Amino acid sequence: MRVLLFGTLANATADRALTLNLHSPFCVADVIAELGRRCGGELLSPVADSDGGKFDHCRVYVNGESVEDVTRPLHTEGSPAKVEMILLTAAEG
């Protein structure tokens, strides 16, 4: 899957676009955990709490659709999934 980071997340890493090898079905919690392994936990500290729950000011989209439940299995068919993740500031949220 292709993961695109926006906002302060994009500024926190050298790569704002990453490729992760997760197979369908996957959940957003899997994506967050893998990003933490690859980029370091400090990158994800504003994204999720220590239990893996996504903070409300973080928005995640999979193939253009908003995902709030990070534990819900997502099935993607065909081409690799596109995951977009952004942190909203007070002015944006």
Side-chain angles (χ1 to χ4, degrees):
M1 75 183 46
R2 188 88 167 138
V3 178
L4 304 171
L5 303 175
F6 295 94
T8 55
L9 288 175
N11 296 331
T13 182
D15 297 319
R16 52 183 321 159
L18 301 127
T19 300
L20 302 181
N21 293 315
L22 297 176
H23 299 285
S24 184
F26 65 92
C27 63
V28 170
D30 297 332
V31 175
I32 291 171
E34 184 61 23
L35 285 173
R37 282 189 284 280
R38 292 214 17 211
C39 301
E42 59 278 351
L43 171 74
L44 297 179
S45 63
V47 171
D49 60 27
S50 59
D51 295 325
K54 181 179 71 63
F55 292 128
D56 289 338
H57 60 265
C58 178
R59 298 289 188 260
V60 178
Y61 300 87
V62 177
N63 294 338
E65 294 194 30
S66 178
V67 176
E68 291 301 321
D69 181 356
V70 297
T71 62
R72 183 184 70 166
L74 301 170
H75 301 272
T76 57
E77 301 293 328
S79 62
K82 179 179 171 185
V83 178
E84 299 169 311
M85 189 178 295
I86 185 170
L87 295 180
L88 299 176
T89 63
E92 297 168 322

